Amino acid sequence: DLMIRTNNSKARESHPGLWRLQAMMNKMTLAILACCAPLFAASCEQAPKVAEVGKLAPDFTLVDTKGTTWTLSQLRGQVVFVNFWATWCAPCREEMPEFSRINAKYASNGVQFVGISLDSADKVAAFRKETEISYPLLIGNLETLDLSSDLGNRAKALPFTVILRQDGSLQQVKLGKYATSDLEKVLLAALQSR
């Protein structure tokens, strides 16, 4: 019997229902732990690998709103900002004009921003018509969310930005909106790490 033992038999006699309830709860707790322990152990053993700073980012192939195919590997040789976003994500939309400005300003220095949307092509095309963006907006899919997770976005939340060095290795990741004052500092640090 899993019931907590006590020398106070009067307490047990005066509240027999409480003692039976406690015994039942103890048995249920052990049953739940017995069922969940293998699942927890398996999840710990099979945790997805997350790219580490300095390691090569996984390649991807996606299309933009015009149907042009883009791969991450074709951008090697540049400092690349990969921004995961969606049209329904207010912080994403707020930081994109600054990304666009910085992309245009530093393009000749080997900097390239790429937006990867978690929306349909129609929604991204409509957004592009109303908002001037100086960098490619690629159309993601369900695997794209896994890609962001592999790059460090365990929460799979937006916006999520990855900064890659010229050789395609990971320099920095950020979950959440970039403050305008931080963005240029981060970019200049990435350019210096060439």
Side-chain angles (χ1 to χ4, degrees):
D1 191 7
L2 296 173
M3 189 181 319
I4 295 176
R5 306 279 181 215
T6 180
N7 291 333
N8 190 348
S9 59
K10 288 182 184 178
R12 220 180 302 168
E13 291 170 7
S14 64
H15 302 291
L18 181 62
W19 286 95
R20 280 191 296 276
L21 177 63
Q22 184 176 4
M24 185 175 70
M25 289 179 66
N26 286 345
K27 288 178 184 178
M28 286 175 47
T29 301
L30 285 176
I32 290 170
L33 288 173
C35 290
C36 293
L39 296 173
F40 178 73
S43 70
C44 290
E45 293 170 8
Q46 299 172 0
K49 292 185 177 181
V50 175
E52 298 174 21
V53 171
K55 300 291 182 179
L56 200 61
D59 200 11
F60 61 76
T61 302
L62 296 169
V63 297
D64 64 17
T65 54
K66 298 174 185 172
T68 304
T69 301
W70 289 77
T71 63
L72 182 58
S73 57
Q74 82 186 59
L75 300 173
R76 292 236 170 90
Q78 301 177 77
V79 172
V80 180
F81 281 68
V82 180
N83 176 248
F84 294 86
W85 71 287
T87 59
W88 46 262
C89 169
C92 300
R93 293 171 66 111
E94 290 169 8
E95 71 183 352
M96 290 175 80
E98 186 63 12
F99 285 175
S100 187
R101 184 187 73 76
I102 296 287
N103 182 70
K105 181 176 179 180
Y106 288 95
S108 63
N109 294 40
V111 173
Q112 178 65 61
F113 279 71
V114 177
I116 300 179
S117 177
L118 301 179
D119 282 306
S120 69
D122 293 340
K123 289 183 180 178
V124 176
F127 173 80
R128 179 153 225 143
K129 285 181 184 175
E130 69 184 47
T131 309
E132 188 174 328
I133 302 294
S134 68
Y135 55 90
L137 298 179
L138 310 182
I139 311 303
N141 51 37
L142 291 178
E143 289 82 27
T144 306
L145 202 53
D146 291 337
L147 172 64
S148 80
S149 181
D150 293 345
L151 289 168
N153 187 4
R154 292 285 180 113
K156 295 186 178 181
L158 299 175
F160 179 70
T161 304
V162 178
I163 303 168
L164 303 172
R165 298 177 182 129
Q166 287 180 311
D167 64 358
S169 65
L170 192 64
Q171 167 135 351
Q172 183 177 357
V173 299
K174 175 160 176 58
L175 178 60
K177 181 182 166 190
Y178 259 108
T180 301
S181 59
D182 294 338
L183 186 58
E184 208 152 353
K185 290 176 195 170
V186 168
L187 181 135
L188 291 173
L191 286 171
Q192 290 175 352
S193 71
R194 292 178 170 191

